[in-house]
Amino acid sequence: MAGKLKKCMMLCCQMKSSEEMGKDSYEAAIEGLKKLLREKGDLQGVAATKIKQITTELEAAGSKACSSDDRLKNGFYHFKKEKYEKNPALYGELAKGQSPKYMVFACSDSRVCPSHILDFQPGEAFVVRNIANMVPPYDQTKYSGIGAAIEYAVLHLKVENIVVIGHSCCGGIKGLMSIPDDGTTASDFIEEWVKICLPAKAKIKAECSSLSFEEQCNNLEKEAVNVSLANLLTYPFVRNAVVKENLALKGGHYDFVHGSFELWNLDLGLSPSLSL
């Protein structure tokens, strides 16, 4: 037994991990290069060019090696170190529950995250994001997912404000504006979804027919918000909360091209723009 153990220990001592072997070969290569340059100084120019080439190749390989998983892991690590661990009181309270004052409907567009735009902190806003930030009318079957979110926010979280935020250059709004008059669609889901705001499109086409397509889309971005605000009132629990003045409905529009934000109440009276 002792012989076998001794043999096993010798074997283990002789084995090296691939990482250790890689490190040894790397160090040996560096030492070899240094020795060569000491002995043949006239090769330094050639060596510098080669090293620059290798450095570029390694940088390219390194960027490819950073996978999508690495991005997520690094992002969480940064969040944990810079936010979570530096705000123990905030996250301690959030562990007990949430009591947001706002429910926000925003577009799924990657450029318009409401938490960044409005500087919401964790626990401040209950957020629903979808194509073109639309709120469908009350329908227990067709739109039960949206209905569940609104019901939970109003009846259980007791939010005080529901804000629907449109934005500039919205692809969903352009899609709505591009639907042929005969209503034919070319997608499985997108066009059927944005048809929620067909009344807004009809109004813009009637009132802004002289404007360019782009200008019509700009106007539709805001008018679609108004239709969503009106649709919110088709939910009985929303309407009751508004009548009792426990809930306010607000529309918003974020223009990331010019860095401005507009906010208005249900009566559609626009407040002055906030320019950033």
Side-chain angles (χ1 to χ4, degrees):
M1 175 65 75
K4 289 182 178 180
L5 180 61
K6 183 177 180 181
K7 184 177 180 181
C8 182
M9 290 178 65
M10 290 177 64
L11 207 60
C12 289
C13 290
Q14 291 172 356
M15 293 176 66
K16 288 187 177 182
S17 68
S18 58
E19 184 177 349
E20 290 174 327
M21 292 178 66
K23 183 178 180 181
D24 288 349
S25 60
Y26 164 78
E27 291 176 349
I30 293 297
E31 287 303 318
L33 177 61
K34 289 180 178 179
K35 181 180 178 181
L36 177 64
L37 293 178
R38 283 196 299 268
E39 295 174 351
K40 298 185 177 182
D42 57 327
L43 292 178
Q44 289 185 359
V46 177
T49 302
K50 289 290 185 181
I51 290 172
K52 185 176 180 180
Q53 179 183 345
I54 293 171
T55 300
T56 301
E57 292 173 355
L58 288 174
E59 287 175 346
S63 63
K64 291 178 181 177
C66 185
S67 67
S68 57
D69 287 352
D70 291 332
R71 172 61 185 87
L72 296 177
K73 291 174 183 177
N74 293 337
F76 178 74
Y77 178 80
H78 177 78
F79 159 76
K80 186 175 181 180
K81 290 294 182 183
E82 298 301 320
K83 297 183 179 181
Y84 187 86
E85 293 180 354
K86 291 184 179 180
N87 295 280
L90 170 62
Y91 290 99
E93 285 299 311
L94 292 177
K96 301 173 185 176
Q98 61 171 326
S99 55
K101 301 297 183 185
Y102 297 90
M103 179 181 194
V104 177
F105 280 90
C107 186
S108 299
D109 192 305
S110 62
R111 301 167 290 182
V112 296
C113 176
S115 293
H116 284 279
I117 296 166
L118 301 177
D119 196 31
F120 283 128
Q121 299 305 304
E124 279 195 283
F126 186 72
V127 180
V128 175
R129 299 182 69 175
N130 59 47
I131 297 298
N133 46 267
M134 292 183 180
V135 181
Y138 182 92
D139 188 318
Q140 288 182 295
T141 303
K142 192 174 183 180
Y143 303 118
S144 60
I146 296 292
I150 298 172
E151 183 178 26
Y152 187 73
V154 175
L155 297 183
H156 297 275
L157 296 178
K158 307 292 185 183
V159 296
E160 298 174 4
N161 304 273
I162 299 181
V163 188
V164 181
I165 304 174
H167 69 91
S168 57
C169 306
C170 182
I173 291 298
K174 289 181 180 178
L176 171 59
M177 203 68 202
S178 302
I179 295 176
D181 292 336
D182 62 7
T184 56
T185 59
S187 63
D188 291 338
F189 297 100
I190 298 171
E191 289 159 308
E192 284 299 325
W193 170 258
V194 297
K195 281 182 180 181
I196 289 168
C197 286
L198 276 176
K201 176 185 176 181
K203 182 178 180 181
I204 294 301
K205 291 195 73 172
E207 298 180 359
C208 306
S209 59
S210 62
L211 299 180
S212 67
F213 177 81
E214 183 178 355
E215 291 172 320
Q216 288 181 11
C217 288
N218 292 341
N219 283 276
L220 184 55
E221 287 165 0
K222 298 176 183 178
E223 192 56 41
V225 169
N226 293 335
V227 168
S228 288
L229 292 175
N231 285 343
L232 279 167
L233 290 175
T234 66
Y235 294 79
F237 38 86
V238 171
R239 184 170 60 251
N240 291 339
V242 170
V243 170
K244 293 178 181 178
E245 298 185 350
N246 294 325
L247 178 67
L249 306 183
K250 302 176 184 294
H253 183 268
Y254 168 51
D255 184 341
F256 57 75
V257 177
H258 300 100
S260 62
F261 182 80
E262 293 177 86
L263 183 69
W264 61 92
N265 295 318
L266 184 60
D267 62 3
L268 310 184
L270 288 176
S271 64
S273 296
L274 303 175
S275 296
L276 303 178

